[in-house]
């Protein structure tokens, strides 16, 4: 017998033998591209309503594919957002850890996806209003307003119910199981709430002995009094009212109206001011990533609003909303991270920044 052959009664134990199945040998079954992506399901999921009427509207295929693609990207955004919440919910998070780097990286990915969503509108706008009218009335009462994934994403990131436009009907057209998901997210810790907790843990202001020299140098007992004096001196006459706003943001008591506490606001502004120190670079990128996401969400909402106005003018949406007017009001109100964005009102030139005590610099810069 050829030594490379096996008989039915024995042979090499590592040879699977002809006809052996992967399950019998413990091997994984071969993966095929078509099956892995379940292309039969995906490519068979475009059911044109106009086909049912016996007169195919050519651009309905584009309309379906664009919106299905949106929903797939929303799913990916949920995947990323859930991972961020899981990391931020940990009781301790080192500000120079791989975990914080992961958060910054995934926030960047989310912003990139949102930029893609904005550019998809360019493709949709190759459909003219007359092309849309060929099938628009067949879609009633279906509407993008019924996209539960988008509303759920807003809630997970931190958009509170009380800050929503159209509270009385924003879930009225959703299925009960989708409403339950959104309400559950609204009742759980959002990413913004977890960011607040993380910011409150920054310990640099809990040690008054670090700031003793400020009394002699700035005539102030601590960093914030010193910074406030310098900030006041940087304001133009027309901006003097900003001092009242400063006192409110950095000295207010807890309120359900806001997500970020005064302590968290102080930490966030400090990070923005002194971001050049190694220990603050990742925290700054995290905060900047949140602002980028808000900017892209806002850009998407406004592009969507303008596209709707271009397509249907002042007509109501297929789902019964006021169309452009609703979208504009939501776009103006649904800024999730506006409390972080408003902190830029309190920045000032680097040359005016209070010099940090040497021990604080050492801790922020990994200096010996």
């Amino acid at each position: 017998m050829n030594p490379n052959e096996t008989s039915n009664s024995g042979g090499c134990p590592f040879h699977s033998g002809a006809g052996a199945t992967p399950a019998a040998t413990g091997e994984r079954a071969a993966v095929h591209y078509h099956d892995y992506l379940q292309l039969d399901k995906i490519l068979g999921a475009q059911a044109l309503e106009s086909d049912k009427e016996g007169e195919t509207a050519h651009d309905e295929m584009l309309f379906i594919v664009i919106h299905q693609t949106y929903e797939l990207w929303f799913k990916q955004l949920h995947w990323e957002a859930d991972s961020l919440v899981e990391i931020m919910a940990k009781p301790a998070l080192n500000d120079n850890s791989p975990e914080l780097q992961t958060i910054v990286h995934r926030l960047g990915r989310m912003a990139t996806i949102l930029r893609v969503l904005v550019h998809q509108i360019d493709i949709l706008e190759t459909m003219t209003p007359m092309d849309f009218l060929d099938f628009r009335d067949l879609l009633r009462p279906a509407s993008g307003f019924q996209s539960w994934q988008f509303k759920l994403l807003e809630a997970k990131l931190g958009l509170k119910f009380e800050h929503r436009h159209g509270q009385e009907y924003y879930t009225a057209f959703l299925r009960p199981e989708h409403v339950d998901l959104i309400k559950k997210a609204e009742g759980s810790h959002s990413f913004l709430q977890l960011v607040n907790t993380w910011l409150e843990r920054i310990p640099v202001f809990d040690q008054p002995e670090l700031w003793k020299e400020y009394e002699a140098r700035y005539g102030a007992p601590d960093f914030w009094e010193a910074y406030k004096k310098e900030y006041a001196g940087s304001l133009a006459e027309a901006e003097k009212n900003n001092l009242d706003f400063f006192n409110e943001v950095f000295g207010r008591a807890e309120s359900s109206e806001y997500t970020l506490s005064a302590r968290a606001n102080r930490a966030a502004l400090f990070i923005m001011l002194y971001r050049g120190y190694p220990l603050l670079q990742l925290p700054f990128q995290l905060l900047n990533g949140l602002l980028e996401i808000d900017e892209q969400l806002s850009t998407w909402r406004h592009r969507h609003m303008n596209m709707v106005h271009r397509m249907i003018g002042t007509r109501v949406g297929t789902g019964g909303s006021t169309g452009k007017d609703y979208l504009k009001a939501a776009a103006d109100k649904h800024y999730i991270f506006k409390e972080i964005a408003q902190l830029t009102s309190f920045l000032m030139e680097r040359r005016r920044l209070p010099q940090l005590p040497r021990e604080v610099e050492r801790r922020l810069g990994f200096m010996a």
Side-chain angles (χ1 to χ4, degrees), residues 4 64 70 75 91 99 132 138 149 238 269 277 334:
N4 292 323
I64 292 174
Y70 272 127
K75 181 172 184 176
E99 288 179 318
F132 188 32
L138 301 177
Q149 281 205 102
L269 181 63
Y277 287 95
H334 290 182

Side-chain angles (χ1 to χ4, degrees), residues 12 22 46 60 115 130 136 144 162 166 183 194 203 214 235 244 247 264 272-273 305 329 338 350 362:
C12 177
Q46 295 75 41
E60 189 180 358
R115 281 192 286 272
M130 289 295 288
R136 179 176 184 259
E162 53 266 33
K183 293 302 181 183
L194 294 171
Y214 268 40
L235 295 174
D244 293 334
N247 291 330
M272 293 177 178
L273 293 170
M305 174 193 72
K338 60 185 177 183
R350 286 189 177 90
R362 186 188 70 79

Side-chain angles (χ1 to χ4, degrees), residues 23 35 37 40 46 52 96 99 108 135 152 165 168 201 219 260 276 299 306 308 328 332 336 346 360:
D35 300 328
L37 297 180
D40 285 335
Q46 295 75 41
K52 300 174 185 178
N96 196 46
E99 288 179 318
F135 62 92
L152 179 60
H165 173 69
E168 65 278 9
R201 290 201 297 254
L260 297 186
T299 302
N306 290 331
V308 167
K328 184 179 187 308
D332 291 342
I336 300 172
F346 309 115
V360 175

Side-chain angles (χ1 to χ4, degrees), residues 200-244:
E200 288 182 333
R201 290 201 297 254
I202 294 178
V204 69
F205 304 118
D206 291 337
Q207 299 166 292
E209 67 276 8
L210 294 176
W211 308 94
K212 286 181 179 179
E213 64 189 67
Y214 268 40
E215 190 67 58
R217 185 185 298 178
Y218 298 106
D222 56 34
F223 172 82
W224 287 106
E225 288 301 318
Y227 186 79
K228 182 179 176 180
K229 289 176 66 174
E230 291 296 324
Y231 175 71
S234 74
L235 295 174
E237 190 61 35
E239 298 175 318
K240 294 299 183 182
N241 287 340
N242 269 28
L243 279 179
D244 293 334

Side-chain angles (χ1 to χ4, degrees), residues 57-69:
H58 179 83
D59 280 27
E60 189 180 358
M61 177 65 78
L62 173 68
F63 188 82
I64 292 174
V65 168
I66 285 287
H67 286 82
Q68 287 178 335
T69 305

Side-chain angles (χ1 to χ4, degrees), residues 127-200:
M127 178 180 68
T128 69
M130 289 295 288
D131 296 331
F132 188 32
L133 284 174
D134 285 342
F135 62 92
R136 179 176 184 259
D137 284 345
L138 301 177
L139 307 183
R140 298 182 188 276
S143 166
F145 194 66
Q146 296 167 328
S147 176
W148 61 272
Q149 281 205 102
F150 188 71
K151 292 179 172 66
L152 179 60
L153 180 66
E154 291 176 318
K156 286 181 179 180
L157 290 177
L159 182 61
K160 294 182 176 181
F161 170 78
E162 53 266 33
H163 294 164
R164 281 191 180 273
H165 173 69
Q167 297 171 8
E168 65 278 9
Y169 58 84
Y170 90 99
T171 58
F173 302 102
L174 301 182
R175 292 175 174 171
E177 61 268 28
H178 299 150
V179 175
D180 290 343
L181 287 172
I182 295 170
K183 293 302 181 183
K184 181 180 179 181
E186 289 177 341
S188 304
H189 287 300
S190 70
F191 186 66
L192 182 56
Q193 287 173 315
L194 294 171
V195 167
N196 177 75
T197 302
W198 165 69
L199 287 169
E200 288 182 333

